[in-house]
Amino acid sequence: MGQGYGFSFRATASARMRGMGSHGNGRSIPSPYVELDRDDWARLREEHPMHLDEADITRLRGLGDPLDLAEVEQVYLPISRLLSFYEEATARLHQVTSDFLDERPKRTPFIIGVAGSVAVGKSTTARILAELIRRWDSAPTVDLITTDGFLYPNEVLAKRNLMSRKGFPESYDRRALLRFISEVKAGKSEVIAPVYSHLVYDIIPGERVVIHEPDVLIVEGLNVLQPPAAHSNGRAGLAVSDFFDFSVYVDAHVGNIKNWFLQRFLSLRQTAFADPESHFHRYATLSDDAAIDIAENIWDTINAPNLVENILPTRSRATLVLLKGPEHTVDRVRLRRL
């Protein structure tokens, strides 16, 4: 498997067994993924260098995320190594295709999608990958964009009665997001994206982030692996993931993610919620019991339905799935077979 990308890995018997699925008639059928436990995955790092230290991990770690150097070395360095192979191979394939078509287009960015639930740690994953990629020997330029900037402004969501469905697919300006991704992939010299503030819980009017032809773009968000929407004429449109060269889904048991969300909500009372400018400042002085009641209501009415209905079904579209255990650390990895 994957020897064309430099791997000399032989899956263990248990990994091969976990690579099988079950058909409706009870017979096993091959899965598109091979699954490895953390120890087996860690061996695939080989000699890929580690350039991050404890200070970097502290800076990049999300609230409530226990990420440490050991997890970066055992989980994320093998991913970085794999991504370097994919990026090189994709560049070669792009050149071969261009030669075949007798074209001389400029090189386009390698785009990575990172998906998963609220509170599962996808933002930390995206930040760690960005830092590791920047430290490749080729020193690529790397930009990281979150899809929060493509949420409709609160004013629009309120008019459409969508404030209680913020984060659901229909709350995003998908046309603007698709245009942004397609322009970056096409190599446009300057592409602009809106900016979202978690402090004020809204798009910031007039503020923009400008992307200038990065070598690698990481796109992080809840719904980045959503399939294309069907048009009224029956045709399927484009999906954001159509422009990805690699994608990662950060996964965990729904009950564990809920617990992490509740703990993060409690911690935010002393951090972001404590800011008088915060949209959620009214929660800063809540007791533990009152805060848990509110957080559970938010989870049960918004985050859990969005996860189960929209986010979790996209997991099978990812190139790589990181499976976290109850301790919020990656226990297993699934890699899609080529």
Side-chain angles (χ1 to χ4, degrees):
M1 179 202 73
Q3 291 183 0
Y5 289 111
F7 279 100
S8 57
F9 167 67
R10 184 175 63 189
T12 63
S14 60
R16 289 195 296 270
M17 288 297 292
R18 288 193 294 268
M20 303 297 288
S22 178
H23 195 52
N25 57 16
R27 292 180 299 175
S28 292
I29 59 173
S31 164
Y33 292 96
V34 59
E35 183 173 319
L36 299 91
D37 63 27
R38 180 157 162 167
D39 289 340
D40 283 336
W41 180 255
R43 295 187 185 99
L44 301 181
R45 170 194 173 181
E46 294 195 353
E47 300 301 319
H48 196 71
M50 173 65 163
H51 297 299
L52 304 184
D53 57 25
E54 288 286 359
D56 294 316
I57 303 305
T58 300
R59 173 173 55 87
L60 298 168
R61 184 191 296 126
L63 182 63
D65 194 330
L67 180 80
D68 56 18
L69 274 175
E71 183 158 42
V72 173
E73 291 176 346
Q74 296 167 10
V75 176
Y76 291 97
L77 282 182
I79 299 175
S80 178
R81 179 176 178 239
L82 178 64
L83 285 170
S84 70
F85 294 145
Y86 265 74
E87 192 275 337
E88 291 171 5
T90 301
R92 290 196 299 270
L93 181 59
H94 178 74
Q95 186 60 56
V96 167
T97 305
S98 297
D99 290 345
F100 174 76
L101 296 173
D102 196 24
E103 295 178 341
R104 292 294 177 269
K106 56 185 175 181
R107 188 179 179 193
T108 59
F110 185 81
I111 301 184
I112 303 166
V114 179
S117 170
V118 169
V120 79
K122 65 184 179 301
S123 297
T124 298
T125 292
R127 289 193 295 267
I128 289 291
L129 291 179
E131 288 295 320
L132 291 173
I133 293 169
R134 290 186 183 107
R135 288 162 169 78
W136 288 350
D137 290 343
S138 57
T141 57
V142 183
D143 280 326
L144 170 59
I145 194 85
T146 71
T147 58
D148 293 340
F150 294 92
L151 284 161
Y152 285 114
N154 287 351
E155 182 180 3
V156 175
L157 293 175
K159 287 180 180 178
R160 299 183 182 184
N161 198 29
L162 290 174
M163 282 298 292
S164 64
R165 294 181 67 81
K166 201 168 190 178
F168 283 67
E170 63 268 28
S171 66
Y172 292 87
D173 187 344
R174 285 174 282 186
R175 181 174 296 180
L177 177 56
L178 272 170
R179 183 168 58 249
F180 169 83
I181 296 292
S182 64
E183 289 179 351
V184 172
K185 193 65 175 177
K188 188 174 179 180
S189 60
E190 182 176 288
V191 186
I192 297 173
V195 174
Y196 182 84
S197 168
H198 287 276
L199 183 68
V200 300
Y201 196 58
D202 202 357
I203 300 295
I204 304 177
E207 190 164 335
R208 298 288 185 268
V209 59
V210 182
I211 304 298
H212 295 284
E213 297 181 274
D215 296 313
V216 178
L217 176 70
I218 299 177
V219 183
E220 177 257 307
L222 299 172
N223 300 296
V224 296
L225 293 178
Q226 283 286 318
H231 295 314
S232 57
N233 60 8
R235 296 181 183 177
L238 285 172
V240 171
S241 59
D242 289 335
F243 298 93
F244 293 165
D245 299 291
F246 195 96
S247 56
V248 179
Y249 185 96
V250 186
D251 192 24
H253 188 278
V254 175
N256 291 333
I257 304 175
K258 178 179 180 178
N259 289 335
W260 302 335
F261 174 76
L262 297 181
Q263 292 304 313
R264 187 174 75 173
F265 191 92
L266 292 175
S267 298
L268 285 169
R269 291 175 302 167
Q270 284 77 47
T271 54
F273 294 173
D275 190 324
E277 299 298 319
S278 172
H279 176 81
F280 298 103
H281 183 61
R282 62 191 181 279
Y283 298 147
T285 58
L286 291 175
S287 67
D288 285 357
D289 288 343
I292 288 174
D293 285 344
I294 289 174
E296 283 191 326
N297 181 64
I298 294 171
W299 178 265
D300 293 339
T301 61
I302 300 175
N303 293 332
N306 194 23
L307 171 58
V308 173
E309 297 168 15
N310 300 304
I311 303 168
L312 191 56
T314 70
R315 178 179 57 189
S316 62
R317 296 170 59 83
T319 315
L320 187 81
V321 180
L322 302 178
L323 299 104
K324 290 190 170 185
E327 301 304 316
H328 215 318
T329 56
V330 176
D331 291 341
R332 292 171 291 146
V333 178
R334 289 180 187 147
L335 176 62
R336 181 177 287 276
R337 303 172 188 270
L338 293 179

